[in-house]
Structures are given as structure tokens and as C-alpha cells.
Amino acid sequence: MAVKHVEIERKYDAAADFAVPELSALPGVAEVGPPETHRLHATYFDTDDLRLAAHGITLRRRRGGPDAGWHLKIPAGPDSKNELHAPLGRAQVVPARLAGLVAAYARGADLRPVATLETDRTVLRLLDESGDVLAEVADDAVTGRVLTGEGEAEGGDAWREIEVELAAGARELLKAAGKRLRKAGARKASTSSKLGRLLNGEIARPTAKETGELAQSKDLVNAGDAVVAYLAAQVQALLSYDPKARLAEFDAVHRMRVATRRIRSVLQSYRPILDRERTDPLRAELQWLAAVLGEVRDLEVLRMRFTEMVEGLEDVGEPAWLEELAARERSAYRRLNTALKQPRYYALLDALEALVADPPLTARADRGAATELPRLVVRAWKRLANAYDAIGTSDDPEIARHDTRKEAKRARYAAEVAVAVLGDPARQTVKNAKRLQDVLGGYQDGVISCEHLREAAARARDASDAFSLGVLYGIEQCEARAALDRLEGTWAEIPAPSF
């Protein structure tokens, strides 16, 4: 089993004759522990075209030092990486658990040794008054070698680098240590990893367009640029939450599902901008992925919802039906992990990246974003208004309410595309659509919960289980009715978009 922790560190380049300055006077530091030296040998694994490195991911097997073993590091934010460890195992075989966590990037390609790093490391620990470690400062003399496909060394480099990694300390200490090191002559590192420095010229890094960095740019002039920038940001979100969903991290499946739904919704709302012949097949595959994620998410929501409610009841232990629900959720997670290993999923990811890199734009995509986007947002809102009006005349109001909720999501996501271009009016439309979506969602959640509770009651064999199910059913029914009672007033208070 892989062991995970969040690594928060900063790296600095240093000359061969650099002298590490005095660090004991830094915030919270009472003393600096005695130096410890280690000789580390690391072999880095990647695909032939360095797909992991292109996304800032490193996968290595390291011998020497107190944390020998396999290390997988995935970016988690500024100066932060999620780091997972596994035992040394076999030298040329990546542990299955770690290989699975980068499958969305490797997509079936072999993971092979691409580089080795030999590091002579001197570690200084910054301690507080109680002797607890606030941070570690590693002074590294590094020799790196690039490996060919046959495992032979092709070239190399040598350099010196200083790492400051937080332990129990605050980010203030990380900043202060960096300032002290720079004052002594160190420079902020040009890359966030040693491998990145060694292979810098070989790594085909995603462009700003492909990473979605332009999604919030005010320089988006054409409608096509704005739509593609938004889609790129959602594709990157889907990728970033993939390993977290495989690990069953809190809210990861939900966020991955939302990114999937956003992409699918925008492909529909912005059909005049994107050629349907290419996007419609993608929408079908996105629907499949959303359904796979949805099975887990729906059970996850029910389990968390009922657990909290049961904890609020007196003299009620852990009901058997709640454990059955948790077991169903675990089974759904297993099915999700199986689906995320399928070539179908990898093909979808390939297609999404190709969509962003070479979007099938129509003639309308060249129109000004400030002119074209409002029209399409208003069109999405009109569909929402029509769906809401249909509730009162529908033969099946339940379906009509569900359809209205879906249209509220589409209107919200359509407006999100326009926020960078249109500013506050689009932002307000997003809020209004979400407000209606939340009311309808509260009602829908209550209805689904009641259905599950009825099914569980039919199987209940214990009086206490039947009692807790009955109490929860009453609570859910009341909350669903309360949400429904708010629907008409909420819609009356929400204005149509005004641009």
C-alpha cells in the first residue's frame, strides 16, 4: 500500500562554493540539529515521450537515506506536491498502485527508466524549543545522467541545489529561510524538480492554451478562444483529480464528475462555436464517464448524509443498513477504478486533449467574444426558463423539475465561460443559475434519499434499524417539501441575464 503525505518545499540553485548561512535565528527556530549525510541513488521512470515530466510529475526508485523506496510526486499547488511512497520492491517494476495513479497520463505506454541521479546530501534540521522538526534544509550535490531506451547513459550534468522542506513549521518559515539563502547567494531554482532540470530540453511541456491558464485572461478576444480556454481548464481539472479519485480522496470523485459535466455541457451550449460532427461523439463518451463517476458519488453522498443524521439520533448505534450502503460504495469505487484503466477512458482523454490543441471551430468562433458570448448565454437561459415553465403543465412534474435542474446547470456553465470576458454580469448569472440549481438539488436529494430509505426499510430485520429508517424518512420528506416550497419564490427573485 502506498503511503501519502503532502510535501511543501522550495528549491534554490547554488554555486559549488556556496556556504549555507546561519539558520538558527529564523522564525520559531530554537536550534539547528547536527548535520546528517546521505548518498542517494535514484532512478526515474517515465514514458518514452516524458509525459509525466511534462505535467510536473516525478516517479522514482531511490536507494539510500531514511526514506528509501519508490516515490511518486504529483503537483498539488504552489510549492506543494502530493507524495506517495512504496517499498523498494523490484528495481525495474513500478509498483502497480503507483503506476495506476499516473495511468491517466501514461495511457498504456510503458514506464521505463529515463534518468539516474546520484546525490550527496547534507541535511540540517530546524528545531523548535521542544525539539520538534520545523523544517529540513538539504544541501545536495547532484550528478544526473539521461538514459536511452536501452538503459545506457547518454549524457549528464552536475549541479548543487538547496531544498527547504516544511515539517511542522509554518509557511512563514519557508519564506524566511528562502530569503536568508538568497541573501547568501543562492537563486530560486529554475525548475521544481531535479529531473526537470536534467531533462529540461527534452520535455514537451503543455502550452498555456492547453493547460487552461488562459481561462481567466481578459485578453480573450474571439468567442472561440474563450470557449477553448474554458474547455482546456476543465480537461486539466479532470486529469488532476484522476489520481485523487483513484485514492478515494474526499470530494475528488465529485470534482472530477463536475469537470466532466462542464465539458459536456459547454460542448452542447456552444455548438455554434464548435463543429458538432467532432464534438457530439465526445459528448456521448463524457456521458459514459459521468455515469461511472456518478454511481460512486451518489452512494458517497447518501452515506455521508445518513451518517451525519444517524449521529444526531439518540440511542442509535451503527445501523446494519448504513454499513450495507458503505459496502455498495466500496464496490462502486472498485468498478470506477476498473473503468479508469480501460482503453475507452484513455481514448477519451486523448480526444479531449486533441480537441483543445486543434479545436474544430466554426466561422462564428472568429466573432468577438464580447458580442457572441452574451447571445449564447441568453440562449441557454431561455432554455432554462422554458424548462421551468413546463413544470406547471407537465404530466410528470418530477421529470420536469429534473429537466429544469439540468438546464440550470447548463446555463451556469455557459455563463462561466463568459466570466473572463463579461465580468460581473456573467458572474451574477452564474450565481443565479446555481441558486436555482441548489434549490432543485435539495429537493432531488430528498427524493432520492427517501427512495433509498424505503428500499432499506423493506429489507430491515431489526427493530432499531426500522426505527432509525423511519425517523430519517420523515426528516428527508420534510426537507424535500421545504425545498420545493422555496422553488417558486426563488425563481421569481432571479432576473434574466442582462449584458
Side-chain angles (χ1 to χ4, degrees):
M1 179 65 69
V3 179
K4 175 188 172 186
H5 81 277
V6 177
E7 176 187 77
I8 303 175
E9 68 176 14
R10 291 184 183 177
K11 296 175 180 286
Y12 301 87
D13 294 332
D17 60 352
F18 176 78
V20 176
E22 174 59 41
L23 301 171
S24 60
L26 293 174
V29 177
E31 65 174 314
V32 178
E36 293 183 10
T37 59
H38 306 283
R39 184 162 182 80
L40 313 174
H41 175 87
T43 302
Y44 286 78
F45 288 71
D46 207 326
T47 60
D48 284 338
D49 53 0
L50 304 177
R51 299 177 194 175
L52 304 189
H55 289 87
I57 298 170
T58 57
L59 173 61
R60 72 186 179 206
R61 181 180 185 270
R62 189 165 76 185
R63 291 180 284 110
D67 61 348
W70 288 87
H71 301 176
L72 172 63
K73 296 185 180 184
I74 302 175
D79 304 319
S80 302
K81 294 182 179 181
N82 285 328
E83 182 172 357
L84 295 102
H85 293 182
L88 276 170
R90 296 167 63 186
Q92 299 296 315
V93 180
V94 178
R97 183 62 162 163
L98 300 186
L101 295 177
V102 296
Y105 300 92
R107 298 175 201 172
D110 290 337
L111 295 169
R112 68 163 183 87
V114 296
T116 62
L117 292 176
E118 298 279 357
T119 303
D120 289 317
R121 167 169 289 183
T122 301
V123 178
L124 296 173
R125 291 185 173 85
L126 309 186
L127 311 174
D128 64 11
E129 292 182 349
S130 301
D132 293 330
V133 180
L134 299 176
E136 290 188 354
V137 179
D139 183 355
D140 292 341
V142 187
T143 301
R145 295 180 178 83
V146 180
L147 301 179
T148 66
E150 291 72 34
E152 298 178 356
E154 192 174 53
D157 193 9
W159 67 93
R160 189 171 173 202
E161 159 177 313
I162 312 296
E163 293 182 3
V164 184
E165 180 177 353
L166 281 185
R171 282 186 177 269
E172 177 190 8
L173 175 57
L174 194 68
K175 183 178 179 180
K179 184 177 180 180
R180 184 72 57 84
L181 291 168
R182 290 195 305 274
K183 188 175 181 180
R187 304 174 308 282
K188 185 177 179 180
S190 56
T191 63
S192 62
S193 73
K194 293 178 174 66
L195 182 67
R197 172 169 179 156
L198 180 64
L199 300 177
N200 190 42
E202 305 295 327
I203 300 172
R205 301 187 186 278
T207 65
K209 172 186 174 182
E210 293 168 338
T211 61
E213 292 177 16
L214 300 179
Q216 301 303 319
S217 172
K218 296 181 180 180
D219 298 327
L220 297 169
V221 177
N222 297 334
D225 292 339
V227 174
V228 173
Y230 182 86
L231 289 173
Q234 299 312 312
V235 172
Q236 288 302 308
L238 192 159
L239 280 171
S240 68
Y241 282 108
D242 173 287
K244 298 177 183 180
R246 294 172 191 261
L247 289 169
E249 286 190 18
F250 174 73
D251 212 34
V253 167
H254 170 59
R255 291 180 178 273
M256 190 175 174
R257 184 191 190 191
V258 168
T260 302
R261 284 179 161 178
R262 279 178 165 139
I263 297 168
R264 184 170 184 268
S265 180
V266 168
L267 292 181
Q268 177 174 350
S269 297
Y270 286 89
R271 281 174 172 173
I273 302 296
L274 299 163
D275 184 356
R276 289 183 57 180
E277 186 174 341
R278 186 164 155 194
T279 60
D280 280 357
L282 270 178
R283 291 184 60 242
E285 290 302 282
L286 288 163
Q287 184 176 27
W288 161 75
L289 179 58
V292 173
L293 294 163
E295 182 190 11
V296 173
R297 176 58 180 171
D298 292 346
L299 291 169
E300 186 177 57
V301 168
L302 286 172
R303 191 254 310 156
M304 292 190 298
R305 185 185 185 100
F306 292 153
T307 297
E308 183 178 356
M309 295 172 74
V310 167
E311 288 174 351
L313 301 178
E314 294 184 3
D315 301 324
V316 175
E318 180 76 10
W321 60 267
L322 192 55
E323 174 51 37
E324 290 176 6
L325 181 60
R328 288 175 58 192
E329 181 188 348
R330 291 191 293 270
S331 296
Y333 261 111
R334 287 192 290 271
R335 287 189 289 275
L336 170 62
N337 276 286
T338 298
L340 297 183
K341 298 175 185 176
Q342 293 180 11
R344 181 179 185 179
Y345 175 56
Y346 301 154
L348 172 58
L349 295 179
D350 285 342
L352 289 173
E353 290 183 342
L355 177 75
V356 171
D358 182 24
L361 300 174
T362 66
R364 286 181 67 173
D366 290 331
R367 296 181 182 179
T371 301
E372 192 67 13
L373 296 186
R375 295 172 182 167
L376 296 174
V377 174
V378 168
R379 189 180 75 162
W381 193 272
K382 287 181 178 178
R383 286 199 299 267
L384 168 58
N386 291 337
Y388 178 83
D389 291 341
I391 294 175
T393 59
S394 175
D395 294 333
D396 192 335
E398 290 295 311
I399 292 179
R401 279 189 281 266
H402 183 61
D403 289 343
T404 302
R405 185 188 180 198
K406 290 194 293 186
E407 293 298 342
K409 288 181 181 179
R410 292 190 183 113
R412 172 187 169 188
Y413 300 151
E416 284 180 352
V417 174
V419 167
V421 176
L422 305 178
D424 287 342
R427 198 171 287 111
Q428 187 59 51
T429 301
V430 171
K431 291 180 180 178
N432 290 339
K434 185 178 185 302
R435 184 179 172 192
L436 183 68
Q437 176 190 331
D438 288 346
V439 172
L440 287 164
Y443 172 72
Q444 184 70 14
D445 289 347
V447 170
I448 293 174
S449 296
C450 285
E451 290 177 358
H452 180 85
L453 292 169
R454 281 197 299 270
E455 292 174 359
R459 300 190 301 270
R461 299 179 180 179
D462 184 273
S464 63
D465 276 2
F467 172 75
S468 63
L469 286 163
V471 173
L472 265 57
Y473 185 90
I475 294 173
E476 291 286 13
Q477 200 171 48
C478 288
E479 291 189 357
R481 287 173 179 168
L484 195 58
D485 290 342
R486 295 196 302 273
L487 179 58
E488 184 175 350
T490 300
W491 178 250
E493 294 172 359
I494 295 176
S498 177
F499 300 111

